[in-house]
């Protein structure tokens, strides 16, 4: 039995490593391509590692375009927008759970319908709103959606999670005199940590890789973000594959690092079921 158990464990590890290799192989190829000679076209065959890695391709990006400025603008947007999105979406989801059953179904249905609205349908409306609020040509135009939860999906994720919180826990806290804000902070929010981590990652990817909003609402080139810098590099020399791939790696690495940091939340024992099973 012990030998059979070890074989099963080894098989699971091999399957996990194989799946990880499938997803990481494109990233590895992007890194390899970014270290090719400047101006070189895409390789006609598989190159596992260049004979002379051109590490200077990465600092060269900052000399071609103001990549440092674009990188700082992107980090500023996500540092403000992502926590704000998590907060407003969490509050909205928690507030929905406190409503009556009919009102919950109505708001959940409307949120699902809003997911079907194409982003292009609200570009003009947002432009007019930002113009009246004086947000055009500022980074606040990129952060503003965070005040509304960023995306209806984030609100629904929190709503579905908070529905699993036993009503007796909330009622007991309210009887003891806890405010709704304290109930959310001490009871509901800790039980929704995996959902919160998922929303943080999704929101980070959304704001970090947003290309359309800077084009629509930002006019000053010094306020552009990293996706615009990648497009500028492509326009300057579309055949310079190493520079394009180096810029792509710069965009991918923060998302990958954030996902790795969030793994402890996804794999931890803070799920609602395990918390309720404890004595």
């Amino acid at each position: 039995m012990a030998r059979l158990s070890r074989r099963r464990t080894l098989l699971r590890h091999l399957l996990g490593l194989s799946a990880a290799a499938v997803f990481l192989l494109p990233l590895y190829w992007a890194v390899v391509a970014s270290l090719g000679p400047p101006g070189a076209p895409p390789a006609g065959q598989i190159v596992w590692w260049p004979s002379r890695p051109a590490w200077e391709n990465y600092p060269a990006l900052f000399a071609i375009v103001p990549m440092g400025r674009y990188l700082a603008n992107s980090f500023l947007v996500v540092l403000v927008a992502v926590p704000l999105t998590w907060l407003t979406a969490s509050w909205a989801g928690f507030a929905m759970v406190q409503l009556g059953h009919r009102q919950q179904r109505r708001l959940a249905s409307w949120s699902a319908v809003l997911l079907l609205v194409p982003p292009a349908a609200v570009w003009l409306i947002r432009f007019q709103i930002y113009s009246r609020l004086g947000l055009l040509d500022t980074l606040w135009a990129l952060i503003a959606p965070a005040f509304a939860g960023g995306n209806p999906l984030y609100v629904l994720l929190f709503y579905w999670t908070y529905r699993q919180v036993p009503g007796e826990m909330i009622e007991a806290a309210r009887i003891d005199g806890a405010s709704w804000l304290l109930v959310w902070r001490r009871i509901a929010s800790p039980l929704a940590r995996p959902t919160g981590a998922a929303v943080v990652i999704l929101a980070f990817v959304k704001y970090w890789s947003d290309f359309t909003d800077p084009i629509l609402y930002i006019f000053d080139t010094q306020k552009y973000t990293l996706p615009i810098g990648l497009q500028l590099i492509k326009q300057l020399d579309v055949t310079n594959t190493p520079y394009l791939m180096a810029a792509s790696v710069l965009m991918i690495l923060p998302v990958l690092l954030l996902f790795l940091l969030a793994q402890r939340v996804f794999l931890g024992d803070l799920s609602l079921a395990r918390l309720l099973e404890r004595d």
Side-chain angles (χ1 to χ4, degrees):
M1 292 296 294
R3 181 177 298 179
L4 180 60
S5 177
R6 287 196 298 268
R7 288 180 178 178
R8 289 179 177 176
T9 302
L10 179 60
L11 180 60
R12 286 197 298 267
H13 281 84
L14 290 176
L15 291 176
L17 290 174
S18 300
V22 170
F23 288 100
L24 291 177
L25 191 57
L27 177 60
Y28 173 76
W29 279 341
V31 174
V32 171
S34 69
L35 298 177
Q45 58 184 0
I46 296 178
V47 178
W48 294 105
W49 191 254
S51 57
R52 293 183 178 180
W55 295 104
E56 63 273 10
N57 290 342
Y58 287 90
L61 295 176
F62 296 83
I64 297 174
V65 296
M67 191 65 72
R69 169 68 66 177
Y70 300 158
L71 193 62
N73 291 339
S74 292
F75 272 116
L76 179 60
V77 170
V78 297
L79 287 177
V80 177
V82 172
L84 188 58
T85 297
W86 171 84
L87 183 64
T88 54
S90 180
W91 280 354
F94 183 70
M96 287 175 61
V97 175
Q98 311 312 317
L99 300 175
H101 183 67
R102 179 177 299 179
Q103 292 174 307
Q104 289 185 33
R105 292 185 58 184
R106 186 178 303 171
L107 287 177
S109 300
W110 275 110
S111 299
V113 170
L114 289 176
L115 289 174
L116 303 178
V117 178
V122 298
W123 287 347
L124 180 58
I125 298 175
R126 280 188 177 180
F127 189 91
Q128 294 176 343
I129 293 175
Y130 293 165
S131 178
R132 291 180 178 273
L133 295 177
L135 300 180
L136 290 180
D137 203 23
T138 67
L139 293 180
W140 286 108
L142 311 181
I143 301 172
F147 288 94
N151 190 303
L153 175 63
Y154 308 154
V155 178
L156 288 176
L157 289 175
F158 277 112
Y159 166 69
W160 291 326
T161 301
Y162 290 146
R163 285 187 63 184
Q164 308 303 317
V165 179
E168 296 80 3
M169 297 176 63
I170 298 178
E171 291 178 4
R174 291 289 293 167
I175 292 175
D176 290 340
S179 63
W180 285 115
L181 184 60
L182 186 62
V183 171
W184 168 82
R185 184 166 61 90
R186 293 291 182 87
I187 298 177
S189 185
L191 298 180
R193 287 189 63 185
T195 300
V199 169
V200 166
I201 292 176
L202 292 173
F204 185 92
V205 173
K206 175 183 180 295
Y207 294 110
W208 182 260
S209 60
D210 187 10
F211 174 79
T212 305
D213 285 358
I215 288 294
L216 291 175
Y217 311 127
I218 302 296
F219 313 128
D220 186 357
T221 58
Q222 293 299 313
K223 298 176 182 177
Y224 282 162
T225 53
L226 197 57
I228 308 299
L230 178 60
Q231 182 65 23
L232 291 176
I233 293 175
K234 179 180 178 181
Q235 291 178 351
L236 289 174
D237 191 355
V238 71
T239 62
N240 200 331
T241 303
Y243 283 175
L244 291 175
M245 299 310 297
S248 300
V249 171
L250 284 179
M251 286 202 61
I252 295 173
L253 281 181
V255 179
L256 183 62
L257 292 175
L258 178 63
F259 184 80
L260 293 176
L261 292 175
Q263 283 297 299
R264 64 172 59 189
V265 179
F266 292 121
L267 302 179
D269 60 346
L270 291 176
S271 65
L272 177 62
R274 293 183 181 179
L275 282 173
L276 296 179
E277 289 174 358
R278 295 179 179 177
D279 295 332

